[in-house]
Coordinates of all heavy atoms in Angstrom, one line a residue:
S79 N 26.1 32.8 -29.3 CA 25.7 31.8 -30.2 C 26.6 30.9 -30.5 O 26.3 29.6 -30.6 CB 25.2 32.7 -31.4 OG 24.8 31.7 -32.5
R80 N 27.9 31.2 -30.6 CA 29.0 30.3 -30.8 C 29.2 29.2 -29.7 O 29.3 28.1 -29.9 CB 30.2 31.0 -31.1 CG 31.4 30.2 -31.5 CD 32.8 31.0 -31.9 NE 33.8 30.2 -32.3 CZ 35.1 30.7 -32.7 NH1 35.1 32.0 -32.8 NH2 36.0 29.9 -33.1
R81 N 29.1 29.8 -28.4 CA 29.2 29.0 -27.2 C 28.1 27.9 -27.2 O 28.2 26.7 -26.9 CB 29.1 29.8 -26.0 CG 30.5 30.5 -25.8 CD 30.6 31.0 -24.3 NE 29.6 32.0 -24.1 CZ 30.0 33.3 -24.1 NH1 31.2 33.7 -24.4 NH2 29.2 34.3 -24.0
N82 N 26.9 28.4 -27.6 CA 25.7 27.5 -27.7 C 25.8 26.4 -28.6 O 25.5 25.3 -28.4 CB 24.3 28.3 -27.9 CG 24.0 29.0 -26.6 OD1 24.1 28.6 -25.5 ND2 23.4 30.2 -26.9
S83 N 26.4 26.9 -29.8 CA 26.6 25.8 -30.9 C 27.7 24.7 -30.5 O 27.4 23.6 -30.7 CB 27.2 26.5 -32.1 OG 27.3 25.6 -33.2
N84 N 28.7 25.1 -29.8 CA 29.7 24.2 -29.4 C 29.2 23.4 -28.3 O 29.5 22.1 -28.2 CB 31.0 25.0 -28.8 CG 31.8 25.7 -29.9 OD1 31.7 25.4 -31.0 ND2 32.4 26.8 -29.5
M85 N 28.3 23.9 -27.4 CA 27.8 23.2 -26.4 C 26.8 22.2 -26.9 O 26.8 20.9 -26.5 CB 27.0 24.1 -25.4 CG 26.4 23.3 -24.1 SD 27.5 22.4 -23.2 CE 28.4 23.7 -22.5
E86 N 26.0 22.5 -28.0 CA 25.1 21.5 -28.6 C 25.8 20.4 -29.2 O 25.4 19.1 -29.0 CB 24.2 22.2 -29.5 CG 23.2 23.2 -29.1 CD 22.3 22.5 -28.1 OE1 21.9 21.4 -28.5 OE2 21.7 23.2 -27.2
R87 N 27.0 20.7 -29.9 CA 27.8 19.6 -30.6 C 28.3 18.6 -29.5 O 28.4 17.4 -29.7 CB 28.9 20.2 -31.4 CG 28.4 20.9 -32.7 CD 29.5 21.0 -33.7 NE 30.6 22.0 -33.2 CZ 30.5 23.3 -33.4 NH1 29.6 23.8 -34.1 NH2 31.5 24.1 -32.9
A88 N 28.9 19.3 -28.4 CA 29.4 18.4 -27.3 C 28.5 17.6 -26.6 O 28.6 16.3 -26.5 CB 30.0 19.3 -26.1
M89 N 27.2 18.0 -26.5 CA 26.1 17.2 -25.9 C 25.7 16.2 -26.8 O 25.5 15.0 -26.4 CB 24.9 18.2 -25.6 CG 25.1 19.2 -24.4 SD 23.7 20.3 -24.3 CE 22.3 19.2 -23.9
K90 N 25.7 16.3 -28.1 CA 25.4 15.3 -29.2 C 26.4 14.2 -29.2 O 26.2 13.1 -29.2 CB 25.3 15.9 -30.5 CG 24.8 15.0 -31.6 CD 24.7 15.6 -33.0 CE 24.3 14.7 -34.0 NZ 24.3 15.3 -35.5
S91 N 27.6 14.7 -29.0 CA 28.9 13.7 -29.1 C 28.7 12.8 -27.8 O 29.0 11.6 -27.8 CB 30.2 14.3 -29.1 OG 30.2 15.0 -30.4
V92 N 28.5 13.4 -26.6 CA 28.4 12.6 -25.4 C 27.2 11.6 -25.4 O 27.4 10.5 -24.9 CB 28.2 13.6 -24.2 CG1 28.0 12.9 -22.9 CG2 29.6 14.3 -24.1
A93 N 26.1 12.1 -26.0 CA 24.9 11.1 -26.0 C 25.3 10.0 -27.0 O 24.8 8.9 -26.7 CB 23.8 12.0 -26.6
E94 N 26.1 10.3 -28.1 CA 26.3 9.1 -29.0 C 27.4 8.1 -28.3 O 27.2 6.9 -28.4 CB 27.1 9.7 -30.2 CG 26.2 10.4 -31.2 CD 26.9 11.0 -32.3 OE1 28.1 11.0 -32.3 OE2 26.1 11.6 -33.2
V95 N 28.3 8.8 -27.6 CA 29.2 7.8 -26.8 C 28.4 7.0 -25.7 O 28.6 5.8 -25.4 CB 30.3 8.6 -26.1 CG1 31.2 7.6 -25.2 CG2 31.2 9.2 -27.2
A96 N 27.5 7.7 -25.0 CA 26.6 7.1 -24.0 C 25.8 5.8 -24.6 O 25.8 4.8 -23.8 CB 25.5 8.0 -23.6
I97 N 25.4 5.8 -25.8 CA 24.8 4.8 -26.3 C 25.6 3.5 -26.5 O 25.4 2.5 -26.3 CB 24.2 5.2 -27.7 CG1 23.1 6.1 -27.7 CG2 23.5 3.9 -28.6 CD1 22.5 6.8 -28.9
E98 N 27.0 3.8 -27.0 CA 28.0 2.8 -27.1 C 28.3 2.2 -25.8 O 28.5 1.0 -25.6 CB 29.2 3.5 -27.7 CG 29.0 3.8 -29.2 CD 28.8 2.5 -30.2 OE1 29.4 1.5 -29.9 OE2 28.1 2.6 -31.1
V99 N 28.4 3.0 -24.7 CA 28.8 2.5 -23.4 C 27.6 1.6 -22.9 O 28.0 0.6 -22.4 CB 28.8 3.7 -22.5 CG1 28.9 3.2 -21.0 CG2 30.1 4.6 -22.8
T100 N 26.3 2.1 -23.1 CA 25.2 1.1 -22.7 C 25.3 -0.2 -23.5 O 25.0 -1.3 -22.8 CB 23.9 1.8 -23.0 OG1 23.8 3.1 -22.4 CG2 22.8 1.0 -22.5
A101 N 25.6 -0.2 -24.7 CA 25.8 -1.4 -25.5 C 26.9 -2.3 -25.0 O 26.5 -3.6 -24.9 CB 26.0 -1.2 -27.0
K102 N 28.0 -1.9 -24.7 CA 29.1 -2.5 -24.1 C 28.8 -3.3 -22.7 O 29.1 -4.3 -22.4 CB 30.3 -1.7 -24.0 CG 30.9 -1.1 -25.3 CD 31.0 -2.1 -26.5 CE 31.5 -1.4 -27.7 NZ 31.3 -2.1 -29.0
E103 N 28.1 -2.4 -21.9 CA 27.7 -2.7 -20.6 C 26.7 -3.9 -20.7 O 26.9 -4.9 -19.8 CB 27.1 -1.6 -19.8 CG 26.8 -1.9 -18.4 CD 26.2 -0.7 -17.7 OE1 25.7 0.2 -18.5 OE2 26.4 -0.6 -16.5
S104 N 25.9 -3.9 -21.6 CA 24.9 -4.8 -21.8 C 25.6 -6.3 -22.2 O 25.3 -7.4 -21.5 CB 23.9 -4.7 -22.9 OG 23.0 -5.7 -23.1
V105 N 26.6 -6.2 -23.1 CA 27.4 -7.5 -23.4 C 28.1 -8.1 -22.2 O 28.0 -9.3 -22.0 CB 28.2 -7.1 -24.6 CG1 29.2 -8.3 -24.9 CG2 27.5 -6.7 -25.9
I106 N 28.8 -7.2 -21.6 CA 29.7 -7.7 -20.5 C 28.8 -8.2 -19.3 O 29.3 -9.2 -18.7 CB 30.7 -6.5 -20.2 CG1 31.6 -6.3 -21.2 CG2 31.5 -7.0 -18.9 CD1 32.5 -5.1 -20.9
C107 N 27.8 -7.5 -18.9 CA 27.0 -7.8 -17.7 C 26.4 -9.3 -18.1 O 26.0 -10.0 -17.2 CB 25.8 -6.9 -17.6 SG 26.6 -5.4 -16.8
K108 N 26.1 -9.6 -19.4 CA 25.6 -10.9 -19.9 C 26.6 -12.1 -19.9 O 26.3 -13.1 -20.3 CB 24.8 -10.8 -21.1 CG 23.5 -9.9 -21.0 CD 22.9 -9.8 -22.3 CE 21.5 -9.0 -22.3 NZ 20.9 -8.9 -23.6
G109 N 27.9 -11.7 -19.5 CA 28.9 -12.7 -19.5 C 29.8 -12.6 -20.8 O 30.7 -13.6 -20.9
G110 N 29.5 -11.9 -21.8 CA 30.3 -11.7 -22.9 C 31.5 -10.9 -22.8 O 31.8 -10.4 -21.7
R111 N 32.3 -10.9 -23.8 CA 33.5 -10.2 -23.9 C 33.7 -9.2 -24.8 O 33.0 -9.4 -26.0 CB 34.7 -11.2 -23.9 CG 34.9 -12.2 -22.7 CD 36.1 -13.1 -23.0 NE 36.0 -13.9 -24.1 CZ 36.7 -13.8 -25.2 NH1 37.7 -12.8 -25.3 NH2 36.7 -14.5 -26.3
V112 N 34.3 -8.1 -24.6 CA 34.5 -7.0 -25.5 C 36.1 -6.7 -25.7 O 36.8 -6.8 -24.6 CB 33.8 -5.8 -25.1 CG1 33.9 -4.5 -26.1 CG2 32.3 -6.0 -24.9
A113 N 36.4 -6.4 -26.9 CA 37.8 -6.2 -27.1 C 38.1 -4.8 -26.3 O 37.5 -4.0 -26.4 CB 38.1 -5.8 -28.6
E114 N 39.3 -4.9 -25.5 CA 39.6 -3.9 -24.6 C 39.9 -2.7 -25.4 O 39.7 -1.6 -24.8 CB 41.0 -4.3 -23.8 CG 41.4 -3.3 -22.7 CD 42.4 -3.7 -21.9 OE1 42.9 -4.9 -22.1 OE2 42.9 -3.0 -21.0
K115 N 40.3 -2.7 -26.7 CA 40.5 -1.6 -27.4 C 39.4 -0.7 -27.6 O 39.5 0.6 -27.6 CB 41.2 -2.0 -28.8 CG 41.7 -0.8 -29.6 CD 42.2 -1.3 -30.9 CE 42.6 -0.1 -31.9 NZ 43.2 -0.5 -33.1
E116 N 38.2 -1.4 -27.7 CA 37.0 -0.6 -27.8 C 36.6 0.2 -26.7 O 36.1 1.3 -26.8 CB 35.8 -1.7 -28.2 CG 36.0 -2.4 -29.5 CD 34.9 -3.3 -29.9 OE1 33.8 -3.3 -29.1 OE2 35.0 -4.2 -30.7
L117 N 36.8 -0.3 -25.5 CA 36.5 0.3 -24.2 C 37.5 1.5 -24.1 O 37.1 2.6 -23.7 CB 36.7 -0.6 -23.0 CG 35.8 -1.8 -23.0 CD1 36.1 -2.7 -21.9 CD2 34.4 -1.4 -23.1
L118 N 38.7 1.4 -24.5 CA 39.8 2.3 -24.3 C 39.4 3.5 -25.3 O 39.7 4.7 -25.0 CB 41.2 1.8 -24.7 CG 41.8 0.9 -23.6 CD1 43.1 0.3 -24.1 CD2 41.9 1.6 -22.3
T119 N 39.0 3.1 -26.6 CA 38.6 4.1 -27.5 C 37.4 5.0 -26.9 O 37.4 6.3 -27.1 CB 38.2 3.4 -28.8 OG1 39.2 2.8 -29.3 CG2 37.7 4.5 -29.9
L120 N 36.5 4.5 -26.3 CA 35.3 5.2 -25.7 C 35.8 6.1 -24.7 O 35.3 7.2 -24.4 CB 34.3 4.2 -25.1 CG 33.6 3.3 -26.2 CD1 32.5 2.4 -25.6 CD2 32.7 4.3 -27.2
I121 N 36.7 5.6 -23.9 CA 37.3 6.6 -22.8 C 38.1 7.6 -23.4 O 37.9 8.9 -22.9 CB 38.3 5.7 -21.9 CG1 37.5 4.6 -21.0 CG2 39.0 6.7 -20.9 CD1 38.3 3.8 -20.2
E122 N 38.8 7.5 -24.4 CA 39.5 8.5 -25.2 C 38.5 9.6 -25.7 O 38.6 10.7 -25.7 CB 40.4 8.0 -26.2 CG 41.5 7.2 -25.6 CD 42.4 6.6 -26.8 OE1 42.0 6.9 -27.9 OE2 43.4 5.9 -26.6
L123 N 37.4 9.1 -26.3 CA 36.4 9.8 -26.9 C 35.8 10.9 -25.7 O 35.6 12.1 -25.9 CB 35.3 9.2 -27.5 CG 35.7 8.5 -28.9 CD1 34.5 7.6 -29.3 CD2 36.0 9.6 -29.9
L124 N 35.6 10.3 -24.6 CA 35.0 11.0 -23.6 C 35.9 12.1 -22.9 O 35.6 13.3 -22.6 CB 34.5 10.1 -22.3 CG 33.2 9.3 -22.7 CD1 33.0 8.2 -21.6 CD2 32.1 10.1 -22.9

């Protein structure tokens, strides 16, 4: 049960980061710029 709980939390965290990654990707692909620190923070979270 504890392993399942830890896994569920990890899956939720990864899903939240995935949303941020998609948002940054959309901005950059449209020619916009994102602060490099934000990208590095997402990599650290992953």
Side-chain angles (χ1 to χ4, degrees):
S79 175
R80 186 175 180 179
R81 284 195 291 264
N82 284 328
S83 178
N84 291 338
M85 179 59 65
E86 292 297 327
R87 285 198 297 269
M89 291 173 64
K90 183 178 179 181
S91 297
V92 172
E94 292 174 351
V95 176
I97 294 174
E98 291 294 326
V99 172
T100 302
K102 305 305 182 197
E103 185 177 24
S104 177
V105 172
I106 294 175
C107 289
K108 291 179 180 179
R111 294 182 302 112
V112 175
E114 186 175 356
K115 184 178 180 181
E116 296 181 14
L117 299 177
L118 292 175
T119 299
L120 292 177
I121 292 177
E122 290 176 0
L123 288 174
L124 289 171

